[in-house]
Amino acid sequence: GQQVQQSPASLVLQEGENAELQCNFSSTATQLQWFYQSPGGSLVSLLSNPSGTKHTGRLTSTTVTKERRSSLHISSSQTTDSGTYLCAIDRANTNKVVFGTGTRLQVLP
Amino acid sequence: EAAVTQSPRNKVAVTGGKVTLSCNQTNNHNNMYWYRQDTGHGLRLIHYSYGAGSTEKGDIPDGYKASRPSQENFSLILELATPSQTSVYFCASGDARGKDTQYFGPGTRLLVL
């Protein structure tokens, strides 16, 4: 089955609203990363957060390693936040990174 | 900021033909990776490398070979391309597995007819 599951699959917001994205994983992870993929396809790393809470700008990620879940909170969303958000884990005792299928976010003006 | 470039950006190939996708990174990262991205599957790891001369199989290596002739360059080779290999291919580099983030190239769109 899917080792990294993201929810919701898609999300539509009005500009200024907050977004909460979820990532659940079935394997023990030594690293967890959130990526942003633009509508044009380019991929950018947003945060590395294997455990605890991390902030950068309007983004906050909270990872609870024991419960194998992570969230990404986007505050005061902007139209330029539209795109796909991907969660990826480094599986413990392997050398492989596994990606979820992403949450597609659309922020309307 | 890490700089990872890929070439070509777009490629049309015929079934049975040989395709080579190239990746170059200028930040002296040890690790490099090749992924493909397909609707419904997300990004899947094909091959990766820990440094010049090393290649390792990822989750879906069948039908692909990889080559890491130098720290900067990592190629993905399709010896006999098939239509099922039509996809978008991403190369990435990173400093240390489990510690550092991965930096992605812009992607290569491959269509195999």
Side-chain angles (χ1 to χ4, degrees):
Chain A
Q2 189 73 26
Q3 296 188 49
V4 179
Q5 293 185 312
Q6 292 187 244
S7 60
S10 63
L11 185 59
V12 180
L13 298 174
Q14 291 294 136
E15 194 168 31
E17 292 182 325
N18 299 329
E20 188 83 14
L21 283 55
Q22 303 292 336
C23 176
N24 292 275
F25 43 97
S26 56
S27 306
T28 303
T30 55
Q31 176 61 290
L32 184 138
Q33 298 180 57
W34 284 95
F35 292 85
Y36 168 75
Q37 188 167 30
S38 71
S42 62
L43 275 155
V44 177
S45 175
L46 295 172
L47 283 168
S48 294
N49 187 26
S51 65
T53 299
K54 267 197 173 181
H55 304 274
T56 179
R58 292 182 293 106
L59 304 178
T60 301
S61 172
T62 300
T63 299
V64 183
T65 314
K66 279 196 308 187
E67 297 179 14
R68 297 182 180 172
R69 60 178 174 86
S70 181
S71 64
L72 180 69
H73 181 87
I74 306 172
S75 63
S76 304
S77 63
Q78 301 173 0
T79 56
T80 50
D81 294 333
S82 297
T84 300
Y85 291 79
L86 298 166
C87 172
I89 64 166
D90 277 34
R91 288 181 303 196
N93 302 318
T94 76
N95 293 309
K96 296 176 182 176
V97 175
V98 181
F99 281 80
T101 53
T103 292
R104 184 168 293 180
L105 174 65
Q106 185 179 10
V107 181
L108 303 174
Chain B
E1 185 71 32
V4 181
T5 57
Q6 295 181 230
S7 63
R9 294 293 313 279
N10 294 279
K11 174 76 178 178
V12 179
V14 295
T15 297
K18 182 176 181 178
V19 177
T20 300
L21 306 183
S22 299
C23 179
N24 177 275
Q25 54 102 358
T26 59
N27 289 281
N28 202 33
H29 285 161
N30 289 329
N31 299 343
M32 295 185 75
Y33 315 88
W34 275 107
Y35 297 89
R36 61 179 284 175
Q37 186 175 34
D38 305 284
T39 304
H41 288 281
L43 280 151
R44 292 180 290 173
L45 182 65
I46 305 170
H47 283 288
Y48 59 101
S49 168
Y50 293 124
S54 106
T55 61
E56 306 290 336
K57 292 182 179 179
D59 290 317
I60 52 164
D62 292 345
Y64 302 92
K65 288 169 59 176
S67 174
R68 182 88 182 269
S70 65
Q71 182 80 335
E72 297 79 19
N73 295 297
F74 190 38
S75 297
L76 186 68
I77 302 149
L78 291 65
E79 295 277 6
L80 295 168
T82 68
S84 65
Q85 293 175 313
T86 293
S87 187
V88 180
Y89 291 86
F90 286 95
C91 175
S93 74
D95 227 358
R97 171 76 66 180
K99 284 188 177 181
D100 210 343
T101 61
Q102 293 188 22
Y103 297 89
F104 281 82
T108 294
R109 291 186 177 274
L110 173 64
L111 173 63
V112 183
L113 301 173

